[in-house]
Amino acid sequence: MADVTPWRRCSACKKPIALGAVYWVCNVSTCNQKRTALAFCTLHCWEVHLPGANHREAWAVERRAPAAPEPGAAAASEPRGTRRIVVSAPAKKPDPALAEVLIVASRLKDYVRARSGYNTSDRVLEPLSEIVRRVVDQAIENARREGRMTVLDRDVPDV
Ligand SMILES: [Zn+2]
Ligand SMILES: [Zn+2]
């Protein structure tokens, strides 16, 4: 793997995660803070962090590393205590629809309440949307494989 430009290192085994490679993140927000953002080279490495992390409920989310080095990567070494104003780079602004919450909050909350009487944090909408995106991406792939440009119910995989 010596000729592969690493994007960053696995938070568990410290092996490099190559640019453009698939990696895994934890759905739990404390594992995704700007400063500590964990990334894992395999699902196994994600499991490794669980005992110490003490999550009540957690799952891994598949991500893909950027194909080219991030221009802002050098900023990580800035001195402590610097006020940071985060501005998204206009050069590679992703389509906002690709990161949008896909879950109807009120319906989800009604469901959880009817099911259990519990409340639901708004923060669950994001990881749930991520799961929907992942499943829908597979459905799109299934439709494409059959030469269709319409995603049908039968394209949706069982999860
Ligand atoms: Zn690893
Ligand atoms: Zn975690």
Side-chain angles (χ1 to χ4, degrees), residues 62 130-146 148 151-159:
E62 189 184 320
E130 195 57 52
I131 291 172
V132 171
R133 263 191 287 280
R134 222 190 308 160
V135 172
V136 169
D137 285 353
Q138 286 176 42
I140 291 170
E141 194 45 53
N142 290 339
R144 179 183 297 146
R145 205 171 300 141
E146 293 187 16
R148 242 185 299 114
V151 177
L152 302 178
D153 47 358
R154 67 164 189 262
D155 294 321
V156 177
D158 289 329
V159 287

Side-chain angles (χ1 to χ4, degrees), residues 6 16 26 42-44 57 84 94 113 123 133 153-155:
C26 186
T42 59
L43 270 178
H44 173 74
E57 199 182 12
R84 196 182 309 189
R113 192 179 299 278
R123 304 183 73 164
R133 263 191 287 280
D153 47 358
R154 67 164 189 262
D155 294 321

